C-alpha cells in the first residue's frame, strides 16, 4: 500500500495533554506528577525531546497511576519516531485506564508504524467499541483492512468514517479510490463528488480530489469529463505533476495530439527526481511516438 505516513508532527503536538488545574482532593504525589508532566509537555512543544522524556519519566516515577504522563510520553516518542517505546507507553496508559478509546486509537496508529497489522486491527476495534464516534479509528481500521487484503471490510470502514466524520476528506478520497480500484466506478464518482463538497476551495486537497475523479472518468472512457476534472486540478495547483500527465494522456486518448504534446511536455519539464520513473518514461515514449507521426 503506497500512502503517506499517518503521523504529522503538527497534529502530534496538538495531542499533548496539559493539565493546568487540579481538584483539591488530589494527592501530593499526583500534584507533583502533574507539575512535572506539564514541564515535560512544555519542553516537548519546544522540541526539546530529551528533556521532555526525562521530565515525563520523572512524573511517571512520582505517580505511576497517572495515565496522562504515559500518554504524553508516547506522543514524545512518536515525535522521535521511537515507535516501540511509544507502544509500551500507551500500553501502560491503557493498563491504568482501559476504557479510554483515544488510548487504543493512538496505540493502533503506532502499531501501523510498526507494521503489526493484526494488533493494530484489534486496537482500532477496541477504540470503536469504547467510543463509536472516533471517525479516524474507522479510517485507520480500513487502511489496516487493505493491508490484510480484506477489501470489503475496508469499504465498510471507510464508509463508516465518512458517516461519523462527514467533513473528514481523507475518508472520502480513500473510499472513492478503493471503489475505483475494485471496479465500482459509478460508486467512486458519487463519493468523490461528495468529497468536492467537503474540500476547502483553492487548496491542494481540492486539486487531489479533482485529479482522482478525473482518473475515474478516464477509466469510464468519459474523456471530456476527465479533461474537465484534470483542468480543474490544474486551476487550483498549476504545476501539479499528476494532473499534467493525466491531462496529456487523456488528450492523446481523445486524438487531440497537439494538446497531448503540450501537457506531456509540461509534465516532463516539471517532473523532477520525485516523479515515478515509469510515468516519465511513458510520457517521453508517447512524445517520441507522436513526433514520429505514429
Amino acid at each position: 500500500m503506497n500512502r503517506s505516513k499517518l503521523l504529522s508532527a503538527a497534529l502530534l503536538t496538538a495531542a499533548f495533554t496539559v493539565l493546568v488545574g487540579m481538584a483539591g482532593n488530589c494527592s501530593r504525589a499526583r500534584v507533583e506528577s502533574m507539575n512535572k508532566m506539564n514541564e515535560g509537555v512544555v519542553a516537548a512543544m519546544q522540541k526539546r525531546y530529551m528533556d521532555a522524556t526525562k521530565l515525563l519519566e520523572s512524573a511517571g516515577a512520582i505517580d505511576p497511576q497517572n495515565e496522562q504522563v504515559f500518554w504524553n510520553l508516547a506522543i514524545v516518542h512518536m515525535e522521535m519516531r521511537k515507535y516501540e517505546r511509544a507502544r509500551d507507553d500507551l500500553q501502560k496508559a491503557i493498563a491504568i485506564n482501559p476504557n479510554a478509546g483515544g488510548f487504543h486509537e493512538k496505540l493502533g496508529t503506532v502499531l501501523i508504524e510498526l507494521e503489526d497489522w493484526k494488533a493494530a486491527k484489534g486496537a482500532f476495534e477496541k477504540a470503536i467499541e469504547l467510543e463509536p464516534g472516533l471517525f479516524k479509528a474507522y479510517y485507520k481500521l480500513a487502511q489496516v483492512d487493505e493491508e490484510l487484503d480484506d477489501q470489503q471490510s475496508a469499504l465498510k470502514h471507510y464508509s463508516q468514517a465518512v458517516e461519523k466524520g462527514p467533513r473528514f476528506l481523507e475518508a472520502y478520497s480513500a473510499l472513492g479510490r478503493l471503489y475505483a480500484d475494485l471496479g465500482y466506478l459509478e460508486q467512486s464518482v458519487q463519493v468523490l463528488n461528495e468529497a468536492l463538497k467537503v474540500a476547502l476551495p483553492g487548496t491542494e486537497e481540492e486539486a487531489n480530489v479533482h485529479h482522482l475523479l478525473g482518473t475515474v472518468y478516464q477509466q469510464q472512457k468519459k474523456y471530456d469529463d476527465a479533461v474537465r476534472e484534470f483542468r480543474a486540478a490544474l486551476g487550483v495547483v498549476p504545476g501539479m505533476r499528476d494532473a499534467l500527465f493525466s491531462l496529456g494522456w487523456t488528450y492523446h486518448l481523445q486524438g487531440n495530439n497537439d494538446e497531448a504534446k503540450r501537457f506531456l511536455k509540461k509534465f516532463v519539464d516539471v517532473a523532477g527526481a520525485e516523479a515515478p520513473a515509469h510515468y516519465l518514461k511513458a510520457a517521453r515514449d508517447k512524445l517520441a511516438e507522436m513526433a514520429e507521426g505514429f
Side-chain angles (χ1 to χ4, degrees), residues 17-32:
T17 299
V18 180
L19 298 184
V20 295
M22 289 159 278
N25 62 353
C26 281
S27 69
R28 181 179 180 85
R30 176 57 56 96
V31 172
E32 291 180 3

Side-chain angles (χ1 to χ4, degrees), residues 34-63:
M34 289 297 190
N35 289 337
K36 191 70 71 174
M37 181 189 81
N38 288 343
E39 290 180 45
V41 169
V42 170
M45 288 180 171
Q46 296 171 345
K47 300 189 183 302
R48 296 187 290 114
Y49 296 132
M50 296 304 295
D51 290 340
T53 300
K54 290 177 182 177
L55 288 163
L56 290 167
E57 287 176 347
S58 176
I62 294 169
D63 183 356

Side-chain angles (χ1 to χ4, degrees), residues 241 267-278 280 284:
R241 287 193 307 255
F267 166 74
V268 170
D269 290 343
V270 304
E274 295 181 4
H278 61 287
L280 195 55
R284 286 172 172 160

Side-chain angles (χ1 to χ4, degrees), residues 81-270:
R81 300 188 179 276
K82 294 183 176 181
Y83 298 117
E84 293 86 356
R85 297 287 298 276
R87 176 197 59 205
D88 295 344
D89 298 329
L90 288 164
Q91 287 173 340
K92 290 177 183 177
I94 289 168
I96 299 167
N97 182 3
N99 296 319
F103 289 0
H104 293 277
E105 181 190 2
K106 193 66 72 178
L107 176 60
T109 304
V110 169
L111 291 167
I112 283 179
E113 294 294 336
L114 294 172
E115 299 186 1
D116 189 347
W117 307 113
K118 290 184 179 179
K121 179 179 176 69
F124 291 128
E125 288 174 340
K126 186 64 177 179
I128 290 165
E129 176 190 331
L130 291 167
E131 297 185 40
L134 289 174
F135 58 89
K136 290 186 180 179
Y138 292 97
Y139 172 74
K140 294 173 186 177
L141 178 55
Q143 291 185 309
V144 173
D145 290 331
E146 287 197 73
E147 286 288 348
L148 296 174
D149 293 322
D150 187 352
Q151 310 305 327
Q152 292 305 312
S153 290
L155 286 175
K156 173 186 173 183
H157 292 130
Y158 282 135
S159 297
Q160 289 176 312
V162 168
E163 292 166 8
K164 301 290 184 179
R167 302 208 53 85
F168 183 42
L169 181 63
E170 289 90 336
Y172 289 90
S173 297
L175 180 58
R177 185 261 312 153
L178 183 55
Y179 270 135
D181 289 348
L182 296 175
Y184 304 139
L185 300 182
E186 288 299 331
Q187 292 92 328
S188 179
V189 167
Q190 182 179 353
V191 169
L192 293 172
N193 275 313
E194 290 300 312
L196 286 174
K197 299 176 185 178
V198 173
L200 292 174
T203 62
E204 187 174 345
E205 66 180 15
E206 181 193 21
N208 288 332
V209 176
H210 279 299
H211 177 259
L212 186 53
L213 182 55
T215 64
V216 178
Y217 282 134
Q218 188 193 78
Q219 287 179 259
Q220 293 179 311
K221 302 188 188 309
K222 296 180 178 180
Y223 297 134
D224 289 343
D225 291 334
V227 165
R228 182 189 69 239
E229 295 302 326
F230 295 140
R231 281 192 169 276
L234 291 169
V236 178
V237 181
M240 186 176 180
R241 287 193 307 255
D242 290 349
L244 288 170
F245 176 87
S246 297
L247 181 57
W249 202 266
T250 304
Y251 274 130
H252 169 69
L253 293 172
Q254 284 184 313
N256 187 345
N257 284 351
D258 288 340
E259 288 294 271
K261 289 175 187 176
R262 185 159 75 94
F263 284 98
L264 287 175
K265 186 175 185 306
K266 283 186 177 182
F267 166 74
V268 170
D269 290 343
V270 304

